Amino acid sequence: MKQNYSFIKLFMLTVMALFAGNVMAEDIIWSEDFSSYADKDVPSGGTYSYVCEGTNYNDDGTVKSGTMIYGSANLAGGTAPELLVAKSGGSFTATVALGGKSGDMTLQFKTNRTDLKVEVTGATLGEKDRSGNTDTYALTGASGTLTIKFVAGSNNARLDDIKLFQGQGLKPAGLSWGKASTSVTLGDEESYKNIPTLSNENGLPVTYTSSDEAVATVSSDGVITVVGAGKTTITASFAGNSEYEAQTVSVDITVNDNSGGGGGDTPATELTVAQALEKINALGTEATGYVDNKAVFQVKGYVVGTPDWQRKPADNTLYGNVEFKIADEAGGSNTLTVYHCNNLDNAKYTEETINNFKEGDFVIVEGVLQMYVKNGVGTPEISSCHLVSITAGLNQISAETDANAPAYNVAGQRVNDDFKGIVVKKGKKVIK
């Protein structure tokens, strides 16, 4: 009798263990990592009736801006591509049939913005739990069909790696660099303070790599060391385990040359945009590479689109540089990306000088030419660069003019030497 009791007890414990294992397992009902989409796609329709709001279109029906897929960015902390949800009311909605499942569920996703809101119809949404870039919500009373809507706040939000599941999910690794990119100047120790350190709140084992060790290296414990001018991507990866999910996070670091370019008395070679693109495209897209061993060139062209004044996400202050595109014709489509460009005389931009050029202006930019490759996508760029001149219509903005000439503001009023901004001297616009 005792032997039979022991057998029954063992049998019951085995059944309970199996049951507990099933309860603990992560049973995914819906997931979306946007890996099936290309750059500038807008998720719509399909199995989950996706709907996007806040997308802007060109007259020909192509996507211009707003809510759309970014094919080569991973600001949300997942793996590109990811969805940008446009600020001030842009949204992404999915309608998910639960297939007979009901009760308590968990919604989890990655985002770079803490003000990305979630609205759920068909269940009661609990409080948000945030770890690193991962937001987790408990859902109770779910049944039938759920409508899940992600709404951006006052800033554009990136969204990736969404999953709706029952059971015990893996904990988010919680890795974060705190920023997507940063820029420093070679040899400027003060600017090196912009280099981030990895936040690893759970003390997980991480592997670090640098995409270009000629620009910066990273040690096994995450210490980043600047080596030379250029651009690199520092990546931290956790492989995942039975408790925490795998995660890879990256930060782009641009190291600007402090020499000002030009090679001393040797003038930089001047190129059109088409000529610059021909040189860069010859490098291919196998890996990030530079034209003529980082030789300095001057590229001339018209500004296409609105310049992106680089700002720090934490407080919206300027990094001091600008990113934009140029083409050989005004409004041209064959463009070269001008990456993190400084002002005239290689000066940093300030709030007083950020409006010294605009779309349609003719500029000359000096820097190195590169094919920057990330996630298999190559972008032709001129980097480690600064503006040489800006022509707006017939007015030339230049860094060189008679310092003793009288100065006038753009309203025609004479100003003293302490005035900061755009002034006119001897018929030319000058940045002070």
Side-chain angles (χ1 to χ4, degrees):
M1 190 73 178
K2 184 180 292 184
Q3 185 177 1
N4 289 340
Y5 174 76
S6 297
F7 173 77
I8 293 172
K9 182 177 181 182
L10 177 61
F11 175 78
M12 292 300 294
L13 287 172
T14 302
V15 171
M16 290 174 66
L18 289 172
F19 178 75
N22 288 335
V23 171
M24 292 295 288
E26 184 179 87
D27 181 10
I28 295 181
I29 300 168
W30 167 59
S31 66
E32 180 59 80
D33 62 3
F34 304 107
S35 59
S36 63
Y37 295 96
D39 190 49
K40 290 195 174 182
D41 280 351
V42 179
S44 62
T47 304
Y48 301 105
S49 303
Y50 290 158
V51 176
C52 289
E53 296 178 313
T55 306
N56 302 311
Y57 295 88
N58 296 308
D59 293 339
D60 61 2
T62 58
V63 176
K64 180 179 180 181
S65 61
T67 303
M68 64 178 180
I69 295 292
Y70 268 71
S72 59
N74 59 344
L75 300 187
T79 301
E82 62 188 24
L83 181 69
L84 180 148
V85 185
K87 62 184 179 181
S88 304
S91 66
F92 168 67
T93 303
T95 302
V96 182
L98 301 181
K101 301 181 186 296
S102 62
D104 295 344
M105 299 181 180
T106 301
L107 175 66
Q108 193 173 86
F109 56 90
K110 289 183 171 66
T111 180
N112 65 325
R113 293 294 182 184
T114 59
D115 60 350
L116 180 68
K117 297 186 298 182
V118 177
E119 301 172 0
V120 174
T121 303
T124 301
L125 185 68
E127 295 295 321
K128 177 175 70 176
D129 178 44
R130 185 168 177 85
S131 176
N133 275 21
T134 301
D135 286 359
T136 303
Y137 290 86
L139 277 63
T140 56
S143 63
T145 299
L146 294 185
T147 300
I148 304 173
K149 185 175 185 179
F150 302 86
V151 184
S154 58
N155 295 289
N156 292 333
R158 301 296 178 91
L159 177 64
D160 202 4
D161 292 354
I162 309 168
K163 59 181 178 180
L164 174 70
F165 61 91
Q166 284 187 307
Q168 182 65 46
L170 295 174
K171 298 176 184 178
L175 305 180
S176 176
W177 287 109
K179 60 177 68 175
S181 63
T182 192
S183 179
V184 301
T185 300
L186 188 62
D188 182 356
E189 295 293 335
E190 185 66 24
S191 74
Y192 290 176
K193 294 179 181 179
N194 292 331
I195 298 175
T197 56
L198 183 74
S199 173
N200 183 4
E201 59 190 39
N202 297 307
L204 301 173
V206 173
T207 301
Y208 296 92
T209 59
S210 170
S211 66
D212 190 343
E213 293 191 341
V215 177
T217 60
V218 57
S219 67
S220 60
D221 55 355
V223 177
I224 299 170
T225 302
V226 172
V227 178
K231 181 177 178 181
T232 188
T233 300
I234 304 296
T235 301
S237 298
F238 167 62
N241 57 26
S242 59
E243 185 177 4
Y244 293 96
E245 63 182 7
Q247 187 181 10
T248 297
V249 292
S250 299
V251 59
D252 292 333
I253 298 179
T254 299
V255 181
N256 296 309
D257 191 345
N258 65 1
S259 66
D265 295 331
T266 304
T269 302
E270 189 172 283
L271 303 174
T272 65
V273 171
Q275 289 170 334
L277 290 173
E278 182 179 7
K279 287 180 175 291
I280 297 171
N281 289 329
L283 299 171
T285 57
E286 296 283 322
T288 297
Y290 300 89
V291 172
D292 296 346
N293 196 28
K294 297 185 180 180
V296 175
F297 295 89
Q298 288 188 355
V299 183
K300 54 186 178 181
Y302 292 90
V303 178
V304 177
T306 303
D308 180 10
W309 304 102
Q310 303 293 290
R311 292 181 179 274
K312 301 174 184 178
D315 56 10
N316 205 40
T317 57
L318 291 168
Y319 280 117
N321 48 55
V322 61
E323 186 172 331
F324 58 99
K325 296 180 184 297
I326 56 175
D328 284 327
E329 309 85 22
S333 59
N334 195 29
T335 60
L336 172 69
T337 297
V338 181
Y339 185 80
H340 287 191
C341 181
N342 285 343
N343 199 351
L344 300 165
D345 277 340
N346 211 16
K348 291 294 185 181
Y349 275 98
T350 67
E351 295 291 353
E352 290 76 24
T353 62
I354 61 173
N355 294 316
N356 69 323
F357 75 103
K358 62 186 183 303
E359 182 175 6
D361 287 351
F362 186 81
V363 299
I364 298 177
V365 183
E366 184 171 289
V368 299
L369 302 179
Q370 69 172 12
M371 176 68 77
Y372 177 64
V373 180
K374 184 175 181 181
N375 297 321
V377 179
T379 303
E381 296 179 343
I382 180 169
S383 62
S384 302
C385 56
H386 65 276
L387 286 164
V388 175
S389 67
I390 308 167
T391 303
L394 298 177
N395 296 321
Q396 177 79 14
I397 301 178
S398 173
E400 299 179 2
T401 191
D402 184 357
N404 296 318
Y408 302 85
N409 62 22
V410 292
Q413 302 165 322
R414 184 164 180 172
V415 294
N416 58 31
D417 290 338
D418 295 328
F419 182 85
K420 301 296 182 182
I422 300 175
V423 299
V424 179
K425 284 191 174 187
K426 300 181 71 174
K428 294 183 177 180
K429 289 183 179 178
V430 181
I431 300 298
K432 293 189 63 183

